[in-house]
Amino acid sequence: NAGVTQTPKFRVLKTGQSMTLLCAQDMNHEYMYWYRQDPGMGLRLIHYSVGEGTTAKGEVPDGYNVSRLKKQNFLLGLESAAPSQTSVYFCASSSGYTQHFGDGTRLSIL
Amino acid sequence: KQEVTQIPAALSVPEGENLVLNCSFTDSAIYNLQWFRQDPGKGLTSLLLIQSSQREQTSGRLNASLDKSSGRSTLYIAASQPGDSATYLCAVALSGAGSYQLTFGKGTKLSVIP
Protein backbone atom coordinates (compact mmCIF):
# COMPACT_ATOMS: atom_id res chain seq x y z
CA ASN A 1 0.00 0.00 0.00
CA ALA A 2 2.58 2.58 -1.19
CA GLY A 3 0.42 5.71 -1.71
CA VAL A 4 2.73 8.51 -2.87
CA THR A 5 6.40 7.64 -3.34
CA GLN A 6 9.12 10.23 -3.90
CA THR A 7 12.54 9.47 -5.32
CA PRO A 8 15.23 10.25 -4.19
CA LYS A 9 14.83 10.94 -0.47
CA PHE A 10 18.03 13.01 -0.20
CA ARG A 11 20.28 14.72 -2.71
CA VAL A 12 23.14 17.18 -2.71
CA LEU A 13 23.83 19.15 -5.87
CA LYS A 14 26.32 21.75 -6.93
CA THR A 15 25.14 25.10 -8.29
CA GLY A 16 24.33 24.81 -11.97
CA GLN A 17 23.70 21.06 -11.99
CA SER A 18 20.39 19.67 -13.15
CA MET A 19 18.23 16.93 -11.72
CA THR A 20 14.75 15.44 -11.78
CA LEU A 21 12.62 14.50 -8.80
CA LEU A 22 10.17 11.68 -9.35
CA CYS A 23 6.75 11.33 -7.76
CA ALA A 24 4.69 8.17 -8.25
CA GLN A 25 1.19 7.46 -6.92
CA ASP A 26 -0.73 4.19 -7.04
CA MET A 27 -4.18 5.55 -6.13
CA ASN A 28 -5.28 6.43 -9.66
CA HIS A 29 -5.59 10.10 -8.67
CA GLU A 30 -6.19 12.72 -11.34
CA TYR A 31 -4.56 15.63 -9.50
CA MET A 32 -0.90 15.87 -8.55
CA TYR A 33 1.09 18.68 -6.93
CA TRP A 34 4.65 19.72 -6.15
CA TYR A 35 5.34 21.87 -3.05
CA ARG A 36 8.44 23.18 -1.40
CA GLN A 37 8.71 23.64 2.37
CA ASP A 38 11.14 26.17 3.79
CA PRO A 39 11.66 27.25 7.41
CA GLY A 40 9.52 30.28 8.19
CA MET A 41 7.73 30.11 4.82
CA GLY A 42 5.43 27.13 5.10
CA LEU A 43 4.48 24.99 2.13
CA ARG A 44 4.25 26.75 -1.22
CA LEU A 45 2.84 25.28 -4.42
CA ILE A 46 5.35 25.07 -7.29
CA HIS A 47 3.36 23.36 -10.09
CA TYR A 48 0.36 21.11 -10.30
CA SER A 49 -1.44 18.87 -12.78
CA VAL A 50 -5.15 18.19 -13.18
CA GLY A 51 -4.65 15.13 -15.37
CA GLU A 52 -2.30 13.22 -17.63
CA GLY A 53 -0.59 15.52 -20.10
CA THR A 54 -1.53 18.73 -18.25
CA THR A 55 0.53 21.02 -16.02
CA ALA A 56 0.00 24.46 -14.52
CA LYS A 57 1.99 26.99 -12.52
CA GLY A 58 1.54 27.46 -8.82
CA GLU A 59 2.78 30.19 -6.51
CA VAL A 60 6.57 29.74 -7.01
CA PRO A 61 7.18 28.14 -10.45
CA ASP A 62 10.35 29.98 -11.51
CA GLY A 63 13.40 27.75 -11.98
CA TYR A 64 11.33 24.55 -12.17
CA ASN A 65 9.74 22.53 -14.94
CA VAL A 66 7.30 19.62 -14.67
CA SER A 67 5.90 16.86 -16.80
CA ARG A 68 2.97 14.44 -16.45
CA LEU A 69 3.39 11.95 -19.28
CA LYS A 70 1.74 9.15 -17.31
CA LYS A 71 -1.16 9.51 -14.92
CA GLN A 72 0.73 7.90 -12.05
CA ASN A 73 3.93 9.96 -12.38
CA PHE A 74 4.70 13.65 -11.90
CA LEU A 75 8.27 14.81 -12.52
CA LEU A 76 9.86 18.00 -11.17
CA GLY A 77 12.97 19.23 -12.93
CA LEU A 78 15.62 21.73 -11.97
CA GLU A 79 17.51 22.78 -15.07
CA SER A 80 20.25 24.81 -13.38
CA ALA A 81 20.15 24.42 -9.61
CA ALA A 82 20.65 27.48 -7.40
CA PRO A 83 21.31 27.68 -3.64
CA SER A 84 17.87 29.32 -3.23
CA GLN A 85 16.34 26.01 -4.30
CA THR A 86 17.67 24.26 -1.21
CA SER A 87 14.49 22.98 0.36
CA VAL A 88 12.34 20.00 1.20
CA TYR A 89 10.14 19.09 -1.75
CA PHE A 90 6.81 17.36 -1.28
CA CYS A 91 4.61 15.71 -3.85
CA ALA A 92 0.90 15.17 -3.27
CA SER A 93 -1.99 13.63 -5.15
CA SER A 94 -5.76 13.78 -4.85
CA SER A 95 -8.96 12.62 -6.48
CA GLY A 96 -11.08 15.11 -4.58
CA TYR A 97 -10.12 17.74 -2.07
CA THR A 98 -8.09 15.62 0.36
CA GLN A 99 -4.45 15.58 -0.68
CA HIS A 100 -2.16 12.64 0.07
CA PHE A 101 1.51 13.49 0.57
CA GLY A 102 4.79 11.69 0.06
CA ASP A 103 7.54 11.80 2.66
CA GLY A 104 9.55 14.44 0.82
CA THR A 105 12.90 14.90 -0.91
CA ARG A 106 15.54 16.84 0.99
CA LEU A 107 17.59 18.74 -1.56
CA SER A 108 20.70 20.81 -0.81
CA ILE A 109 22.35 23.01 -3.40
CA LEU A 110 25.95 23.96 -2.62
CA LYS B 1 -3.70 37.15 -2.08
CA GLN B 2 -4.85 34.68 0.53
CA GLU B 3 -2.77 34.61 3.69
CA VAL B 4 -3.09 31.98 6.38
CA THR B 5 -1.81 32.58 9.91
CA GLN B 6 -1.46 30.07 12.72
CA ILE B 7 -1.03 31.09 16.33
CA PRO B 8 0.82 30.07 18.42
CA ALA B 9 3.86 28.88 16.47
CA ALA B 10 4.65 26.40 19.25
CA LEU B 11 2.71 25.00 22.18
CA SER B 12 3.71 22.71 25.04
CA VAL B 13 1.07 21.09 27.23
CA PRO B 14 0.98 18.31 29.86
CA GLU B 15 -0.58 15.00 28.87
CA GLY B 16 -4.35 14.85 29.34
CA GLU B 17 -4.97 18.53 28.76
CA ASN B 18 -7.51 19.76 26.23
CA LEU B 19 -6.10 22.29 23.77
CA VAL B 20 -7.05 24.58 20.90
CA LEU B 21 -5.00 25.48 17.85
CA ASN B 22 -5.94 28.58 15.89
CA CYS B 23 -5.95 29.38 12.19
CA SER B 24 -6.99 32.62 10.50
CA PHE B 25 -7.28 33.53 6.82
CA THR B 26 -7.65 36.85 5.05
CA ASP B 27 -9.99 35.99 2.15
CA SER B 28 -13.33 34.55 3.26
CA ALA B 29 -14.17 33.27 -0.24
CA ILE B 30 -12.89 29.82 0.55
CA TYR B 31 -14.08 26.47 -0.81
CA ASN B 32 -12.86 24.43 2.12
CA LEU B 33 -10.36 24.37 4.97
CA GLN B 34 -8.21 21.42 5.95
CA TRP B 35 -6.15 20.51 8.98
CA PHE B 36 -3.03 18.40 8.51
CA ARG B 37 -0.54 16.77 10.82
CA GLN B 38 3.19 16.55 10.02
CA ASP B 39 5.58 14.34 11.96
CA PRO B 40 9.33 15.13 11.84
CA GLY B 41 10.90 14.01 8.58
CA LYS B 42 7.55 12.95 7.16
CA GLY B 43 4.91 14.26 4.81
CA LEU B 44 1.53 15.68 5.75
CA THR B 45 -1.42 13.58 6.82
CA SER B 46 -4.91 14.98 6.37
CA LEU B 47 -6.89 15.09 9.63
CA LEU B 48 -10.11 16.95 8.88
CA LEU B 49 -11.67 18.77 5.95
CA ILE B 50 -14.45 21.32 6.43
CA GLN B 51 -16.44 22.49 3.44
CA SER B 52 -17.32 26.19 3.37
CA SER B 53 -20.97 25.36 4.04
CA GLN B 54 -20.12 23.42 7.21
CA ARG B 55 -19.47 24.71 10.71
CA GLU B 56 -17.48 21.81 12.13
CA GLN B 57 -16.10 18.33 11.61
CA THR B 58 -15.19 15.70 14.18
CA SER B 59 -12.89 12.70 14.09
CA GLY B 60 -12.26 10.89 17.36
CA ARG B 61 -10.63 13.31 19.81
CA LEU B 62 -10.33 16.01 17.15
CA ASN B 63 -12.90 18.68 16.40
CA ALA B 64 -12.41 21.42 13.84
CA SER B 65 -14.66 24.45 13.55
CA LEU B 66 -14.98 27.02 10.81
CA ASP B 67 -16.28 30.60 10.97
CA LYS B 68 -15.95 31.74 7.38
CA SER B 69 -17.28 35.23 7.95
CA SER B 70 -14.63 36.03 10.54
CA GLY B 71 -11.90 34.12 8.70
CA ARG B 72 -11.14 31.73 11.55
CA SER B 73 -10.86 28.04 12.27
CA THR B 74 -9.92 26.15 15.39
CA LEU B 75 -8.70 22.61 15.95
CA TYR B 76 -9.68 21.24 19.33
CA ILE B 77 -7.77 18.23 20.67
CA ALA B 78 -9.32 16.51 23.66
CA ALA B 79 -7.36 14.61 26.31
CA SER B 80 -4.00 15.15 24.62
CA GLN B 81 -1.48 12.30 24.45
CA PRO B 82 2.29 12.25 23.80
CA GLY B 83 1.54 10.67 20.42
CA ASP B 84 -0.23 13.89 19.44
CA SER B 85 3.13 15.67 19.40
CA ALA B 86 3.62 16.95 15.85
CA THR B 87 3.27 20.07 13.74
CA TYR B 88 -0.31 20.91 12.80
CA LEU B 89 -0.98 22.90 9.63
CA CYS B 90 -4.15 24.41 8.32
CA ALA B 91 -4.73 25.07 4.64
CA VAL B 92 -7.48 26.79 2.69
CA ALA B 93 -8.72 26.28 -0.84
CA LEU B 94 -10.20 29.27 -2.60
CA SER B 95 -13.51 29.09 -4.42
CA GLY B 96 -13.56 28.88 -8.17
CA ALA B 97 -11.15 27.40 -10.69
CA GLY B 98 -8.35 27.14 -8.15
CA SER B 99 -10.35 25.20 -5.61
CA TYR B 100 -7.86 22.33 -5.67
CA GLN B 101 -4.96 24.63 -4.82
CA LEU B 102 -4.15 25.00 -1.15
CA THR B 103 -2.63 27.91 0.75
CA PHE B 104 -0.94 26.75 3.93
CA GLY B 105 -0.22 28.35 7.26
CA LYS B 106 3.23 27.92 8.78
CA GLY B 107 1.98 25.50 11.40
CA THR B 108 1.83 25.08 15.16
CA LYS B 109 4.39 22.74 16.70
CA LEU B 110 2.70 20.84 19.52
CA SER B 111 4.57 19.05 22.28
CA VAL B 112 2.59 16.93 24.74
CA ILE B 113 4.65 16.24 27.84
CA PRO B 114 4.10 12.87 29.59
Side-chain angles (χ1 to χ4, degrees), chain A residues 41-64:
Chain A
M41 297 295 294
L43 272 88
R44 293 178 292 169
L45 182 65
I46 305 171
H47 286 280
Y48 65 100
S49 168
V50 299
E52 182 178 319
T54 75
T55 63
K57 295 180 180 180
E59 180 185 356
V60 288
D62 294 342
Y64 304 95

Side-chain angles (χ1 to χ4, degrees), chain A residues 37 40 48 96-97 99 102 106, chain B residues 31 34 38 41 43 100-101 106:
Chain A
Q37 186 175 36
Y48 65 100
Y97 295 108
Q99 295 187 16
R106 283 145 187 82
Chain B
Y31 197 81
Q34 300 183 50
Q38 185 176 25
Y100 287 93
Q101 299 180 52
K106 296 177 183 178

Side-chain angles (χ1 to χ4, degrees), chain A residues 31 33 35 37 40-43 45 48 57-59 90 94-99 101-103 106, chain B residues 1 31-32 34 36 38 40-46 49 51 89 97 99-102 104-106:
Chain A
Y31 299 85
Y33 315 81
Y35 296 90
Q37 186 175 36
M41 297 295 294
L43 272 88
L45 182 65
Y48 65 100
K57 295 180 180 180
E59 180 185 356
F90 287 99
S94 70
S95 58
Y97 295 108
T98 299
Q99 295 187 16
F101 283 76
D103 283 341
R106 283 145 187 82
Chain B
K1 177 186 173 184
Y31 197 81
N32 62 54
Q34 300 183 50
F36 292 86
Q38 185 176 25
K42 295 293 186 180
L44 282 66
T45 299
S46 179
L49 184 152
Q51 298 290 359
L89 298 100
S99 60
Y100 287 93
Q101 299 180 52
L102 298 177
F104 285 84
K106 296 177 183 178

